[in-house]
Amino acid sequence: MPKNSSFFHKKLILWYLQHKRDLPWRNTKDPYRIWLSEIMLQQTRVAQGLPYYERFLKAFPTIKELATTSEDKILKLWQGLGYYSRARNLYATANYIWNERNGKFPSNYKELLTLKGVGDYTASAIASICYDEKQAVVDGNVYRVLSRVFGISTPINSTAGIKEFKSLAQLLIDGRQPGTYNQAIMEFGARHCTPQNPDCGSCIFSDRCIALKKDMVGQLPVKIKKLKIKKRYFNYIVILSEEGKTVLKQRTKKGIWQQLYEFPLVETEAEVDEIELKEIQTFNEVSEGYNIESLVLYNEASVVHKLSHQHLYTRFWIATLSEENQKNGNRIENEIPIARVRDYAVPVLIENFISDFSVFKI
């Protein structure tokens, strides 16, 4: 631990005041807007999150509008931002604050932690920025800056590392302007002390950075390797009827994309051709349920959709229904007009297919 830590926050805040980006959430202390921005920027770059933030504020300018809308509308607006549990937590928390707290946000770190989807980082950010509480944020940017400047090799995703970095961050924070300090260190990590090729020559800490002196910049921070990425094989059955309808089902089980919509899915242990697909029980259940007559593979090469913990190898199969089924006028379960397919919140993987498939370009 540094004996004199004031040099750190003084240099950092001075750099920030000279180089900070003009972002909408930096011009307010409204906890609703700060909370919304912090939730959206989890695992998301500012450039990607900014247009979503602006769209959400236009649709839901206050906590009341967010709490009284539908979860489906929130998921649709969130579409493409990923990590959809954040959107569901956003809705749950908005409802709790509006209905149980008369629309008032908790006003301190400890109470903020009770909100769904709010952990140490988000609670620290809101408490420091909105209420000037001395709570240091620790995110990927902060881990990187602190590990390099102070030469810390404790893995950042270990129990010991989490405690060590939080303690150091708490020691370094400027108690007189904690919100400004927190935004400064996050900005510095995002724009100057970057993961790859940081500009160490012009760094404000070049005279003190232990990683630079020991030629360890590229090795810090240390992170324990994750478990092996899981491969999954998805086969989406895109049903088309002569009446201009298709089928979308909502994913209700826990896991990826909960509450989002998708075409009927047949998951397999590996890539399969048409003959192999038709031998799978799950496909037969889909086929019999909808009286599928013909099946055509849309994409020979699987679309590989990469999530943080798994890679999805996906093929889309275009299915037409039997004439008998359509002549009898039987209603298709979960059917929707093709013209309305874009009204539903779907994963980016499916949104891309919908945009490319000519039938859906209405």
Side-chain angles (χ1 to χ4, degrees):
M1 296 289 183
K3 293 181 180 180
N4 181 9
S5 61
S6 63
F7 82 91
F8 188 79
H9 69 67
K10 287 178 180 177
K11 283 192 171 188
L12 198 59
I13 291 175
L14 180 60
W15 176 89
Y16 175 69
L17 294 177
Q18 294 173 339
H19 298 90
K20 67 176 180 177
R21 289 168 289 182
D22 183 19
L23 299 171
W25 48 83
R26 288 183 176 158
N27 302 315
T28 181
K29 283 199 168 188
D30 179 356
Y32 170 67
R33 295 187 174 213
I34 299 300
W35 166 69
L36 184 62
S37 69
E38 293 298 340
I39 296 297
M40 283 190 164
L41 293 178
Q42 292 171 7
Q43 308 290 330
T44 302
R45 293 176 292 104
V46 168
Q48 182 187 9
L50 180 56
Y52 283 87
Y53 175 82
E54 293 172 336
R55 285 199 293 270
F56 260 74
L57 275 187
K58 185 176 180 180
F60 316 115
T62 70
I63 193 79
K64 176 183 177 181
E65 287 81 13
L66 187 62
T68 54
T69 190
S70 68
E71 186 177 71
D72 279 349
K73 186 171 181 179
I74 290 175
L75 288 171
K76 181 62 180 175
L77 273 179
W78 194 275
Q79 185 173 296
L81 202 54
Y83 298 95
Y84 289 90
S85 61
R86 293 180 296 170
R88 292 190 292 272
N89 289 338
L90 203 73
Y91 184 55
T93 297
N95 270 276
Y96 168 70
I97 291 174
W98 180 249
N99 295 312
E100 305 297 328
R101 296 184 56 90
N102 298 314
K104 296 186 181 297
F105 264 82
S107 58
N108 60 70
Y109 170 80
K110 188 175 181 181
E111 288 187 359
L112 285 162
L113 281 174
T114 65
L115 300 179
K116 192 170 184 179
V118 172
D120 172 73
Y121 164 77
T122 305
S124 297
I126 298 172
S128 63
I129 295 169
C130 300
Y131 309 118
D132 293 317
E133 187 174 344
K134 188 181 177 182
Q135 291 291 339
V137 296
V138 181
D139 70 348
N141 291 315
V142 177
Y143 279 127
R144 189 164 55 255
V145 173
L146 297 185
S147 66
R148 288 173 175 173
V149 174
F150 297 100
I152 303 171
S153 57
T154 311
I156 61 175
N157 56 342
S158 66
T159 301
I162 292 169
K163 290 180 180 179
E164 182 176 357
F165 281 97
K166 180 66 176 182
S167 296
L168 177 57
Q170 199 64 30
L171 176 69
L172 296 169
I173 192 172
D174 185 351
R176 294 170 300 176
Q177 41 187 341
T180 301
Y181 166 85
N182 277 336
Q183 292 184 85
I185 192 168
M186 289 189 287
E187 184 82 338
F188 186 74
R191 301 186 65 197
H192 194 95
C193 192
T194 52
Q196 305 295 329
N197 304 314
D199 186 6
C200 297
S202 64
C203 179
I204 56 175
F205 299 117
S206 60
D207 60 331
R208 290 177 177 262
C209 181
I210 294 176
L212 181 60
K213 290 178 181 178
K214 295 185 176 181
D215 195 25
M216 295 177 61
V217 173
Q219 301 169 38
L220 295 175
V222 175
K223 192 172 185 179
I224 299 171
K225 289 185 178 180
K226 295 181 179 180
L227 295 175
K228 185 178 179 181
I229 296 291
K230 181 180 180 181
K231 291 183 179 181
R232 299 176 68 181
Y233 299 89
F234 283 11
N235 297 272
Y236 280 118
I237 314 302
V238 183
I239 293 172
L240 301 177
S241 74
E242 289 186 356
E243 288 77 22
K245 293 181 179 179
T246 188
V247 173
L248 286 178
K249 293 184 172 183
Q250 192 171 34
R251 292 179 69 97
T252 55
K253 295 181 180 179
K254 289 187 177 181
I256 61 170
W257 305 333
Q258 187 180 4
Q259 301 304 118
L260 298 188
Y261 289 83
E262 64 182 358
F263 300 108
L265 171 64
V266 177
E267 185 170 355
T268 55
E269 294 182 0
E271 289 186 344
V272 294
D273 58 25
E274 182 179 350
I275 295 175
E276 293 169 323
L277 181 63
K278 289 180 175 179
E279 293 177 349
I280 296 170
Q281 181 179 350
T282 309
F283 173 79
N284 288 324
E285 291 172 358
V286 172
S287 180
E288 292 171 8
Y290 295 104
N291 289 323
I292 292 174
E293 183 173 66
S294 66
L295 197 65
V296 177
L297 178 61
Y298 177 77
N299 56 312
E300 188 69 35
S302 292
V303 175
V304 183
H305 188 69
K306 296 181 179 180
L307 303 175
S308 59
H309 56 297
Q310 51 190 295
H311 291 175
L312 311 180
Y313 292 76
T314 307
R315 284 178 165 180
F316 294 88
W317 300 80
I318 312 304
T320 54
L321 306 185
S322 69
E323 291 185 10
E324 179 182 351
N325 183 75
Q326 299 184 60
K327 284 179 181 178
N328 293 336
N330 294 334
R331 188 180 183 281
I332 308 172
E333 186 180 2
N334 297 306
E335 69 178 5
I336 62 166
I338 286 175
R340 286 195 57 212
V341 73
R342 292 180 181 274
D343 295 343
Y344 291 79
V346 298
V348 170
L349 171 66
I350 292 177
E351 173 63 21
N352 290 340
F353 167 76
I354 290 172
S355 297
D356 290 339
F357 188 39
S358 60
V359 174
F360 293 139
K361 293 180 180 179
I362 296 177

